[in-house]
Amino acid sequence: MNSKEKIKKEVEICMAQGTLIILYLQGKIKTEKGKEEFSFHTEYQKWYTMALKIVENIAPDRYAEYTSYYEVDKKRKTLGYGTYVIQDYIKGVAPNSYHYPNFDTKEQVLQCVYNQYTILRAISERIDSVLSDIQGTLYVELQDLEL
């Protein structure tokens, strides 16, 4: 298996893990008695770590957007629909129930994870062209170095 095939395989594995996380957040994954429960915190952190490297290396133009769904904005003044991120959910943080009585943290984190998943999906759909561009760039740089 060459490098291109390995990268494609890793992206496929990452997509499958992302799908499981989304299904869990939608309530479509049920655990059986006596079996280990699905841990969002553990599974998400594993997935995010893998996906983050893929986005960083294959689509650096989408990296800031991808991380914005996870990381708290340092300039954030309030916590609400437009500013709630995955890190808030993991820490157990929620907006004030007085100002946001119907705020569903799980629904909000589902939206953030789904947005990250769609970025990863877009990358997977253009992976051949991206890898070809990288390969061409490396070839040109190698030729320049030889001269």
Side-chain angles (χ1 to χ4, degrees), residues 4 13 55 57 59 76 145:
K4 194 174 189 178
I13 291 168
V55 174
N57 291 308
R76 176 171 79 179
L145 287 173

Side-chain angles (χ1 to χ4, degrees), residues 18-126:
T19 300
L20 286 175
I21 292 167
I22 289 170
L23 290 173
Y24 168 77
L25 290 169
Q26 292 174 333
K28 295 180 180 176
I29 290 182
K30 305 291 184 210
T31 55
E32 296 177 31
K33 287 185 178 179
K35 291 198 175 185
E36 188 176 329
E37 286 191 40
F38 185 94
S39 168
F40 171 79
H41 295 60
T42 302
E43 297 305 318
Y44 177 78
Q45 292 294 358
K46 288 190 317 191
W47 178 73
Y48 180 74
T49 301
M50 179 187 287
L52 189 64
K53 282 297 175 190
I54 292 169
V55 174
E56 182 180 31
N57 291 308
I58 297 178
D61 55 319
R62 303 297 304 271
Y63 183 78
E65 179 187 0
Y66 188 84
T67 58
S68 73
Y69 294 111
Y70 175 77
E71 296 175 355
V72 175
D73 183 358
K74 291 172 180 63
K75 297 176 185 176
R76 176 171 79 179
K77 297 204 186 313
T78 62
L79 183 61
Y81 288 102
T83 60
Y84 194 80
V85 293
I86 298 164
Q87 203 172 53
D88 292 322
Y89 184 76
I90 290 171
K91 291 178 180 177
V93 175
N96 183 318
S97 60
Y98 179 76
H99 294 291
Y100 298 96
N102 299 322
F103 193 90
D104 184 348
T105 57
K106 198 168 189 179
E107 185 65 32
Q108 291 302 307
V109 83
L110 170 62
Q111 188 62 49
C112 290
V113 171
Y114 185 74
N115 289 342
Q116 287 180 321
Y117 178 83
T118 57
I119 291 170
L120 192 61
R121 184 179 184 117
I123 291 168
S124 75
E125 291 176 4
R126 68 175 196 171

